[in-house]
Short mmCIF file of all heavy atoms in Angstrom, two decimals:
data_model
loop_
_atom_site.label_atom_id
_atom_site.label_comp_id
_atom_site.label_asym_id
_atom_site.label_seq_id
_atom_site.Cartn_x
_atom_site.Cartn_y
_atom_site.Cartn_z
N ASN Q 1 175.58 192.50 208.08
CA ASN Q 1 174.91 191.69 209.11
C ASN Q 1 175.76 191.56 210.35
O ASN Q 1 175.42 190.81 211.29
CB ASN Q 1 174.65 190.27 208.52
CG ASN Q 1 173.51 190.25 207.55
OD1 ASN Q 1 172.48 190.93 207.78
ND2 ASN Q 1 173.66 189.49 206.48
N LYS Q 2 176.85 192.30 210.40
CA LYS Q 2 177.77 192.21 211.53
C LYS Q 2 177.48 193.23 212.63
O LYS Q 2 178.18 193.24 213.65
CB LYS Q 2 179.20 192.36 211.02
CG LYS Q 2 179.65 191.21 210.10
CD LYS Q 2 181.07 191.35 209.69
CE LYS Q 2 181.51 190.17 208.82
NZ LYS Q 2 182.95 190.31 208.38
N ILE Q 3 176.54 194.11 212.40
CA ILE Q 3 176.14 195.09 213.43
C ILE Q 3 174.68 194.79 213.83
O ILE Q 3 173.75 195.07 213.06
CB ILE Q 3 176.24 196.56 212.95
CG1 ILE Q 3 177.68 196.83 212.47
CG2 ILE Q 3 175.83 197.50 214.05
CD1 ILE Q 3 177.83 198.23 211.88
N PRO Q 4 174.44 194.15 214.97
CA PRO Q 4 173.05 193.84 215.39
C PRO Q 4 172.23 195.13 215.57
O PRO Q 4 172.74 196.13 216.09
CB PRO Q 4 173.24 193.15 216.72
CG PRO Q 4 174.65 192.60 216.69
CD PRO Q 4 175.42 193.66 215.91
N VAL Q 5 170.99 195.09 215.07
CA VAL Q 5 170.12 196.27 215.16
C VAL Q 5 168.85 195.91 215.93
O VAL Q 5 168.39 194.78 215.88
CB VAL Q 5 169.77 196.83 213.76
CG1 VAL Q 5 171.01 197.27 213.03
CG2 VAL Q 5 168.99 195.80 212.96
N GLY Q 6 168.29 196.90 216.60
CA GLY Q 6 167.08 196.68 217.39
C GLY Q 6 166.08 197.79 217.27
O GLY Q 6 166.46 198.97 217.13
N GLY Q 7 164.82 197.45 217.30
CA GLY Q 7 163.76 198.43 217.26
C GLY Q 7 163.40 198.93 218.65
O GLY Q 7 163.25 198.15 219.58
N ILE Q 8 163.24 200.23 218.78
CA ILE Q 8 162.84 200.85 220.06
C ILE Q 8 161.33 200.98 220.09
O ILE Q 8 160.72 201.54 219.17
CB ILE Q 8 163.50 202.24 220.24
CG1 ILE Q 8 165.03 202.09 220.27
CG2 ILE Q 8 162.98 202.91 221.50
CD1 ILE Q 8 165.74 203.40 220.45
N VAL Q 9 160.73 200.46 221.13
CA VAL Q 9 159.27 200.48 221.25
C VAL Q 9 158.92 201.29 222.48
O VAL Q 9 159.41 201.09 223.55
CB VAL Q 9 158.73 199.03 221.44
CG1 VAL Q 9 157.21 199.03 221.40
CG2 VAL Q 9 159.29 198.13 220.34
N VAL Q 10 157.98 202.26 222.24
CA VAL Q 10 157.61 203.14 223.33
C VAL Q 10 156.16 202.96 223.77
O VAL Q 10 155.88 202.46 224.83
CB VAL Q 10 157.84 204.63 222.96
CG1 VAL Q 10 157.44 205.53 224.11
CG2 VAL Q 10 159.31 204.86 222.62
N THR Q 11 155.22 203.30 222.91
CA THR Q 11 153.84 203.40 223.34
C THR Q 11 152.96 202.24 222.91
O THR Q 11 151.90 202.10 223.40
CB THR Q 11 153.17 204.70 222.81
OG1 THR Q 11 153.35 204.74 221.39
CG2 THR Q 11 153.82 205.91 223.43
N ILE Q 12 153.45 201.42 221.97
CA ILE Q 12 152.64 200.29 221.55
C ILE Q 12 153.56 199.12 221.25
O ILE Q 12 154.50 199.24 220.53
CB ILE Q 12 151.76 200.63 220.33
CG1 ILE Q 12 150.88 199.46 219.95
CG2 ILE Q 12 152.59 201.11 219.15
CD1 ILE Q 12 149.81 199.79 218.94
N ASN Q 13 153.27 198.02 221.91
CA ASN Q 13 154.05 196.80 221.71
C ASN Q 13 153.23 195.88 220.82
O ASN Q 13 152.26 195.26 221.28
CB ASN Q 13 154.34 196.10 223.04
CG ASN Q 13 155.14 197.02 223.94
OD1 ASN Q 13 155.82 197.90 223.49
ND2 ASN Q 13 155.01 196.81 225.25
N THR Q 14 153.56 195.77 219.57
CA THR Q 14 152.71 195.08 218.65
C THR Q 14 153.40 193.92 217.97
O THR Q 14 154.59 193.98 217.65
CB THR Q 14 152.17 196.05 217.58
OG1 THR Q 14 151.54 195.30 216.53
CG2 THR Q 14 153.29 196.87 216.96
N GLY Q 15 152.66 192.85 217.72
CA GLY Q 15 153.18 191.67 217.05
C GLY Q 15 153.71 191.95 215.66
O GLY Q 15 154.50 191.22 215.12
N ASP Q 16 153.24 193.10 215.06
CA ASP Q 16 153.74 193.46 213.74
C ASP Q 16 155.24 193.67 213.74
O ASP Q 16 155.91 193.46 212.76
CB ASP Q 16 153.02 194.73 213.26
CG ASP Q 16 153.30 195.04 211.81
OD1 ASP Q 16 153.13 194.19 210.95
OD2 ASP Q 16 153.77 196.17 211.56
N LEU Q 17 155.78 194.13 214.90
CA LEU Q 17 157.22 194.31 215.00
C LEU Q 17 157.97 193.00 214.87
O LEU Q 17 159.14 192.98 214.49
CB LEU Q 17 157.56 194.97 216.32
CG LEU Q 17 157.39 196.50 216.40
CD1 LEU Q 17 157.66 196.96 217.81
CD2 LEU Q 17 158.28 197.20 215.43
N MET Q 18 157.32 191.91 215.20
CA MET Q 18 157.98 190.63 215.14
C MET Q 18 158.32 190.23 213.70
O MET Q 18 159.13 189.35 213.45
CB MET Q 18 157.13 189.54 215.78
CG MET Q 18 156.81 189.78 217.25
SD MET Q 18 158.29 189.89 218.26
CE MET Q 18 157.61 190.57 219.78
N THR Q 19 157.66 190.87 212.74
CA THR Q 19 157.91 190.54 211.32
C THR Q 19 159.07 191.36 210.77
O THR Q 19 159.49 191.11 209.66
CB THR Q 19 156.66 190.82 210.49
OG1 THR Q 19 156.36 192.24 210.50
CG2 THR Q 19 155.45 190.07 211.04
N LYS Q 20 159.54 192.34 211.52
CA LYS Q 20 160.61 193.21 211.03
C LYS Q 20 161.97 192.51 211.19
O LYS Q 20 162.18 191.72 212.12
CB LYS Q 20 160.61 194.54 211.78
CG LYS Q 20 159.28 195.28 211.77
CD LYS Q 20 158.83 195.63 210.37
CE LYS Q 20 157.52 196.37 210.40
NZ LYS Q 20 157.00 196.64 209.04
N ALA Q 21 162.88 192.84 210.29
CA ALA Q 21 164.22 192.21 210.33
C ALA Q 21 165.11 192.93 211.32
O ALA Q 21 166.02 193.69 210.98
CB ALA Q 21 164.83 192.26 208.93
N VAL Q 22 164.83 192.70 212.62
CA VAL Q 22 165.64 193.26 213.69
C VAL Q 22 166.20 192.12 214.52
O VAL Q 22 165.66 191.02 214.50
CB VAL Q 22 164.85 194.24 214.57
CG1 VAL Q 22 164.37 195.43 213.74
CG2 VAL Q 22 163.65 193.58 215.23
N ASP Q 23 167.23 192.42 215.30
CA ASP Q 23 167.88 191.38 216.08
C ASP Q 23 167.50 191.43 217.56
O ASP Q 23 167.69 190.44 218.30
CB ASP Q 23 169.41 191.55 215.98
CG ASP Q 23 169.88 191.45 214.53
OD1 ASP Q 23 169.62 190.41 213.89
OD2 ASP Q 23 170.47 192.41 214.02
N PHE Q 24 166.99 192.57 218.01
CA PHE Q 24 166.59 192.72 219.42
C PHE Q 24 165.60 193.88 219.52
O PHE Q 24 165.32 194.57 218.56
CB PHE Q 24 167.80 192.94 220.33
CG PHE Q 24 168.53 194.23 220.08
CD1 PHE Q 24 168.21 195.38 220.79
CD2 PHE Q 24 169.54 194.31 219.12
CE1 PHE Q 24 168.87 196.57 220.56
CE2 PHE Q 24 170.22 195.49 218.90
CZ PHE Q 24 169.88 196.62 219.60
N TYR Q 25 165.03 194.06 220.72
CA TYR Q 25 164.09 195.14 220.97
C TYR Q 25 164.51 195.94 222.21
O TYR Q 25 165.03 195.34 223.18
CB TYR Q 25 162.66 194.60 221.22
CG TYR Q 25 162.15 193.79 220.04
CD1 TYR Q 25 162.15 192.41 220.07
CD2 TYR Q 25 161.67 194.44 218.91
CE1 TYR Q 25 161.68 191.67 219.00
CE2 TYR Q 25 161.20 193.71 217.81
CZ TYR Q 25 161.21 192.31 217.89
OH TYR Q 25 160.75 191.58 216.82
N SER Q 26 164.26 197.21 222.17
CA SER Q 26 164.46 198.08 223.35
C SER Q 26 163.07 198.63 223.68
O SER Q 26 162.49 199.37 222.91
CB SER Q 26 165.44 199.23 223.04
OG SER Q 26 166.70 198.71 222.68
N VAL Q 27 162.57 198.25 224.85
CA VAL Q 27 161.19 198.53 225.19
C VAL Q 27 161.12 199.46 226.39
O VAL Q 27 161.84 199.25 227.38
CB VAL Q 27 160.44 197.22 225.51
CG1 VAL Q 27 158.95 197.49 225.76
CG2 VAL Q 27 160.62 196.22 224.40
N GLN Q 28 160.29 200.47 226.30
CA GLN Q 28 160.07 201.35 227.43
C GLN Q 28 159.43 200.59 228.59
O GLN Q 28 158.45 199.86 228.39
CB GLN Q 28 159.20 202.53 227.04
CG GLN Q 28 159.15 203.61 228.13
CD GLN Q 28 158.23 204.74 227.78
OE1 GLN Q 28 157.13 204.48 227.31
NE2 GLN Q 28 158.65 205.96 228.01
N ALA Q 29 160.00 200.70 229.78
CA ALA Q 29 159.54 199.91 230.91
C ALA Q 29 158.06 200.15 231.19
O ALA Q 29 157.32 199.25 231.57
CB ALA Q 29 160.37 200.29 232.15
N PHE Q 30 157.59 201.37 230.96
CA PHE Q 30 156.18 201.71 231.24
C PHE Q 30 155.21 200.87 230.43
O PHE Q 30 154.11 200.56 230.85
CB PHE Q 30 155.97 203.20 230.94
CG PHE Q 30 154.56 203.69 231.19
CD1 PHE Q 30 154.11 203.93 232.46
CD2 PHE Q 30 153.71 203.88 230.13
CE1 PHE Q 30 152.82 204.38 232.69
CE2 PHE Q 30 152.43 204.33 230.32
CZ PHE Q 30 151.97 204.59 231.62
N THR Q 31 155.62 200.49 229.20
CA THR Q 31 154.71 199.79 228.31
C THR Q 31 155.06 198.29 228.16
O THR Q 31 154.41 197.61 227.35
CB THR Q 31 154.69 200.43 226.91
OG1 THR Q 31 156.01 200.38 226.37
CG2 THR Q 31 154.24 201.88 226.99
N LEU Q 32 156.00 197.80 228.92
CA LEU Q 32 156.37 196.39 228.82
C LEU Q 32 155.17 195.52 229.23
O LEU Q 32 154.50 195.78 230.21
CB LEU Q 32 157.55 196.10 229.73
CG LEU Q 32 158.08 194.66 229.70
CD1 LEU Q 32 158.70 194.36 228.34
CD2 LEU Q 32 159.07 194.42 230.79
N ASN Q 33 154.88 194.50 228.43
CA ASN Q 33 153.83 193.57 228.81
C ASN Q 33 154.30 192.13 228.55
O ASN Q 33 155.16 191.91 227.70
CB ASN Q 33 152.50 193.89 228.10
CG ASN Q 33 152.61 193.64 226.58
OD1 ASN Q 33 152.71 192.53 226.12
ND2 ASN Q 33 152.57 194.72 225.82
N PRO Q 34 153.74 191.16 229.28
CA PRO Q 34 154.21 189.79 229.15
C PRO Q 34 154.14 189.25 227.74
O PRO Q 34 155.05 188.52 227.29
CB PRO Q 34 153.28 189.00 230.08
CG PRO Q 34 152.83 190.03 231.06
CD PRO Q 34 152.73 191.32 230.31
N ALA Q 35 153.08 189.57 226.99
CA ALA Q 35 152.92 189.03 225.65
C ALA Q 35 154.08 189.44 224.74
O ALA Q 35 154.56 188.63 223.96
CB ALA Q 35 151.60 189.51 225.03
N PHE Q 36 154.53 190.68 224.89
CA PHE Q 36 155.58 191.15 224.00
C PHE Q 36 156.89 190.40 224.24
O PHE Q 36 157.51 189.88 223.31
CB PHE Q 36 155.79 192.66 224.18
CG PHE Q 36 156.84 193.21 223.27
CD1 PHE Q 36 156.53 193.59 221.99
CD2 PHE Q 36 158.13 193.35 223.69
CE1 PHE Q 36 157.48 194.08 221.13
CE2 PHE Q 36 159.11 193.84 222.84
CZ PHE Q 36 158.79 194.21 221.57
N PHE Q 37 157.34 190.37 225.50
CA PHE Q 37 158.63 189.75 225.69
C PHE Q 37 158.59 188.22 225.59
O PHE Q 37 159.59 187.57 225.29
CB PHE Q 37 159.36 190.20 226.98
CG PHE Q 37 158.64 189.91 228.25
CD1 PHE Q 37 158.47 188.64 228.74
CD2 PHE Q 37 158.20 190.97 229.03
CE1 PHE Q 37 157.86 188.38 229.93
CE2 PHE Q 37 157.58 190.74 230.25
CZ PHE Q 37 157.41 189.42 230.72
N GLN Q 38 157.38 187.63 225.76
CA GLN Q 38 157.28 186.18 225.52
C GLN Q 38 157.43 185.88 224.04
O GLN Q 38 158.10 184.93 223.64
CB GLN Q 38 155.97 185.66 226.04
CG GLN Q 38 155.93 185.54 227.57
CD GLN Q 38 154.59 185.17 228.13
OE1 GLN Q 38 153.75 184.63 227.41
NE2 GLN Q 38 154.35 185.48 229.38
N GLN Q 39 156.79 186.70 223.18
CA GLN Q 39 156.92 186.51 221.73
C GLN Q 39 158.38 186.72 221.32
O GLN Q 39 158.92 185.98 220.50
CB GLN Q 39 156.02 187.48 220.97
CG GLN Q 39 154.54 187.08 221.01
CD GLN Q 39 153.72 187.89 220.05
OE1 GLN Q 39 154.24 188.54 219.16
NE2 GLN Q 39 152.40 187.87 220.21
N ALA Q 40 158.99 187.78 221.84
CA ALA Q 40 160.37 188.08 221.46
C ALA Q 40 161.30 186.95 221.92
O ALA Q 40 162.21 186.53 221.17
CB ALA Q 40 160.83 189.39 222.14
N ASN Q 41 161.08 186.41 223.12
CA ASN Q 41 161.92 185.30 223.59
C ASN Q 41 161.73 184.05 222.77
O ASN Q 41 162.68 183.28 222.56
CB ASN Q 41 161.62 185.04 225.07
CG ASN Q 41 162.17 186.15 225.97
OD1 ASN Q 41 162.98 186.98 225.54
ND2 ASN Q 41 161.71 186.15 227.20
N GLN Q 42 160.51 183.78 222.31
CA GLN Q 42 160.27 182.66 221.45
C GLN Q 42 161.02 182.79 220.13
O GLN Q 42 161.44 181.78 219.55
CB GLN Q 42 158.77 182.49 221.18
CG GLN Q 42 158.00 181.97 222.39
CD GLN Q 42 156.50 182.03 222.22
OE1 GLN Q 42 156.00 182.28 221.10
NE2 GLN Q 42 155.76 181.80 223.28
N LEU Q 43 161.19 184.03 219.64
CA LEU Q 43 161.95 184.28 218.43
C LEU Q 43 163.45 184.42 218.73
O LEU Q 43 164.23 184.71 217.80
CB LEU Q 43 161.43 185.57 217.75
CG LEU Q 43 160.04 185.46 217.16
CD1 LEU Q 43 159.55 186.84 216.73
CD2 LEU Q 43 159.98 184.50 216.00
N LYS Q 44 163.81 184.22 220.00
CA LYS Q 44 165.21 184.32 220.43
C LYS Q 44 165.77 185.72 220.13
O LYS Q 44 166.95 185.84 219.72
CB LYS Q 44 166.08 183.22 219.80
CG LYS Q 44 165.57 181.81 220.14
CD LYS Q 44 166.56 180.74 219.68
CE LYS Q 44 165.99 179.34 219.93
NZ LYS Q 44 165.55 179.12 221.31
N ARG Q 45 164.96 186.72 220.32
CA ARG Q 45 165.41 188.09 220.18
C ARG Q 45 165.52 188.75 221.55
O ARG Q 45 164.52 188.77 222.29
CB ARG Q 45 164.47 188.90 219.30
CG ARG Q 45 164.44 188.45 217.84
CD ARG Q 45 163.46 189.21 217.01
NE ARG Q 45 163.45 188.71 215.64
CZ ARG Q 45 162.56 189.10 214.73
NH1 ARG Q 45 161.60 189.94 215.05
NH2 ARG Q 45 162.64 188.63 213.50
N PRO Q 46 166.68 189.20 221.94
CA PRO Q 46 166.84 189.84 223.26
C PRO Q 46 165.91 191.05 223.44
O PRO Q 46 165.55 191.73 222.48
CB PRO Q 46 168.32 190.27 223.27
CG PRO Q 46 168.96 189.39 222.26
CD PRO Q 46 167.96 189.15 221.20
N VAL Q 47 165.52 191.29 224.66
CA VAL Q 47 164.68 192.44 225.02
C VAL Q 47 165.40 193.26 226.09
O VAL Q 47 165.72 192.76 227.17
CB VAL Q 47 163.31 192.01 225.56
CG1 VAL Q 47 162.51 193.21 226.04
CG2 VAL Q 47 162.54 191.25 224.46
N TYR Q 48 165.70 194.51 225.74
CA TYR Q 48 166.28 195.45 226.71
C TYR Q 48 165.19 196.45 227.11
O TYR Q 48 164.35 196.85 226.32
CB TYR Q 48 167.45 196.20 226.07
CG TYR Q 48 168.58 195.30 225.61
CD1 TYR Q 48 168.70 194.90 224.30
CD2 TYR Q 48 169.52 194.84 226.54
CE1 TYR Q 48 169.72 194.04 223.90
CE2 TYR Q 48 170.56 194.00 226.13
CZ TYR Q 48 170.65 193.61 224.83
OH TYR Q 48 171.65 192.77 224.44
#
């Protein structure tokens, strides 16, 4: 648990990812949408 891990999201930003045991998200700028990073921020998961 000492190495933070993050899921890379490219073409679909889905709430299903919020159920995964990850510490942050890396999102392609082209597909970034408000709903995704608002949900991530509510879960206190950083978004790159």
